[in-house]
Short mmCIF file of all heavy atoms in Angstrom, two decimals:
data_model
loop_
_atom_site.label_atom_id
_atom_site.label_comp_id
_atom_site.label_asym_id
_atom_site.label_seq_id
_atom_site.Cartn_x
_atom_site.Cartn_y
_atom_site.Cartn_z
N THR B 211 37.01 26.98 80.91
CA THR B 211 37.36 25.58 80.75
C THR B 211 37.53 25.16 79.34
O THR B 211 38.42 24.39 78.97
CB THR B 211 36.26 24.69 81.40
OG1 THR B 211 35.95 25.25 82.70
CG2 THR B 211 36.71 23.26 81.55
N PHE B 212 36.66 25.71 78.47
CA PHE B 212 36.75 25.30 77.07
C PHE B 212 38.05 25.81 76.44
O PHE B 212 38.67 25.13 75.62
CB PHE B 212 35.58 25.81 76.24
CG PHE B 212 34.21 25.34 76.74
CD1 PHE B 212 33.07 25.92 76.33
CD2 PHE B 212 34.13 24.27 77.67
CE1 PHE B 212 31.80 25.46 76.78
CE2 PHE B 212 32.93 23.81 78.13
CZ PHE B 212 31.77 24.42 77.68
N ASP B 213 38.46 27.02 76.87
CA ASP B 213 39.75 27.57 76.35
C ASP B 213 40.86 26.65 76.78
O ASP B 213 41.81 26.40 75.96
CB ASP B 213 39.95 28.95 76.90
CG ASP B 213 38.99 29.98 76.36
OD1 ASP B 213 38.33 29.65 75.39
OD2 ASP B 213 38.92 31.07 76.92
N ALA B 214 40.83 26.16 78.02
CA ALA B 214 41.90 25.26 78.44
C ALA B 214 41.89 23.98 77.62
O ALA B 214 42.94 23.50 77.22
CB ALA B 214 41.73 24.95 79.94
N MET B 215 40.71 23.51 77.32
CA MET B 215 40.63 22.23 76.60
C MET B 215 41.07 22.33 75.17
O MET B 215 41.74 21.44 74.66
CB MET B 215 39.20 21.67 76.69
CG MET B 215 38.85 21.17 78.08
SD MET B 215 37.10 20.82 78.20
CE MET B 215 37.01 19.18 77.53
N ILE B 216 40.78 23.47 74.50
CA ILE B 216 41.13 23.53 73.12
C ILE B 216 42.62 23.86 72.89
O ILE B 216 43.09 23.81 71.77
CB ILE B 216 40.27 24.54 72.26
CG1 ILE B 216 40.35 25.92 72.83
CG2 ILE B 216 38.86 24.02 72.14
CD1 ILE B 216 39.64 26.94 71.98
N SER B 217 43.37 24.12 73.96
CA SER B 217 44.81 24.25 73.78
C SER B 217 45.44 22.87 73.90
O SER B 217 46.69 22.77 73.87
CB SER B 217 45.41 25.32 74.68
OG SER B 217 45.14 25.04 76.02
N THR B 218 44.69 21.87 74.04
CA THR B 218 45.21 20.50 73.97
C THR B 218 44.77 19.96 72.57
O THR B 218 44.10 20.70 71.84
CB THR B 218 44.60 19.63 75.06
OG1 THR B 218 43.26 19.32 74.72
CG2 THR B 218 44.66 20.28 76.42
N PRO B 219 45.16 18.74 72.21
CA PRO B 219 44.78 18.26 70.86
C PRO B 219 43.31 18.21 70.63
O PRO B 219 42.88 17.96 69.49
CB PRO B 219 45.43 16.83 70.83
CG PRO B 219 46.54 16.91 71.76
CD PRO B 219 46.11 17.81 72.89
N ILE B 220 42.50 18.42 71.62
CA ILE B 220 41.04 18.36 71.38
C ILE B 220 40.58 19.59 70.61
O ILE B 220 41.05 20.70 70.84
CB ILE B 220 40.34 18.30 72.76
CG1 ILE B 220 40.70 16.98 73.45
CG2 ILE B 220 38.83 18.39 72.60
CD1 ILE B 220 40.15 16.83 74.77
N SER B 221 39.63 19.40 69.70
CA SER B 221 39.12 20.50 68.93
C SER B 221 37.85 21.05 69.61
O SER B 221 37.25 20.39 70.47
CB SER B 221 38.72 20.02 67.53
OG SER B 221 37.66 19.13 67.58
N ILE B 222 37.43 22.24 69.22
CA ILE B 222 36.28 22.85 69.82
C ILE B 222 35.02 21.97 69.53
O ILE B 222 34.18 21.86 70.41
CB ILE B 222 36.06 24.29 69.31
CG1 ILE B 222 34.88 24.98 70.01
CG2 ILE B 222 35.81 24.35 67.80
CD1 ILE B 222 35.13 25.30 71.44
N GLU B 223 34.96 21.38 68.38
CA GLU B 223 33.84 20.53 68.08
C GLU B 223 33.71 19.33 69.11
O GLU B 223 32.62 19.01 69.53
CB GLU B 223 33.95 19.91 66.65
CG GLU B 223 33.68 20.91 65.52
CD GLU B 223 34.97 21.66 65.11
OE1 GLU B 223 36.01 21.56 65.81
OE2 GLU B 223 34.96 22.34 64.07
N GLU B 224 34.87 18.79 69.40
CA GLU B 224 34.88 17.67 70.35
C GLU B 224 34.51 18.11 71.74
O GLU B 224 33.79 17.44 72.47
CB GLU B 224 36.23 17.00 70.34
CG GLU B 224 36.50 16.21 69.08
CD GLU B 224 37.97 15.90 68.86
OE1 GLU B 224 38.83 16.66 69.35
OE2 GLU B 224 38.21 14.90 68.20
N VAL B 225 34.98 19.34 72.11
CA VAL B 225 34.65 19.85 73.45
C VAL B 225 33.12 20.01 73.57
O VAL B 225 32.51 19.57 74.60
CB VAL B 225 35.35 21.21 73.70
CG1 VAL B 225 34.83 21.85 74.94
CG2 VAL B 225 36.87 21.06 73.77
#
Side-chain angles (χ1 to χ4, degrees):
Chain B
T211 312
F212 300 167
D213 292 346
M215 288 170 83
I216 58 173
S217 55
T218 74
I220 295 177
S221 66
I222 185 69
E223 288 88 350
E224 288 162 333
V225 171

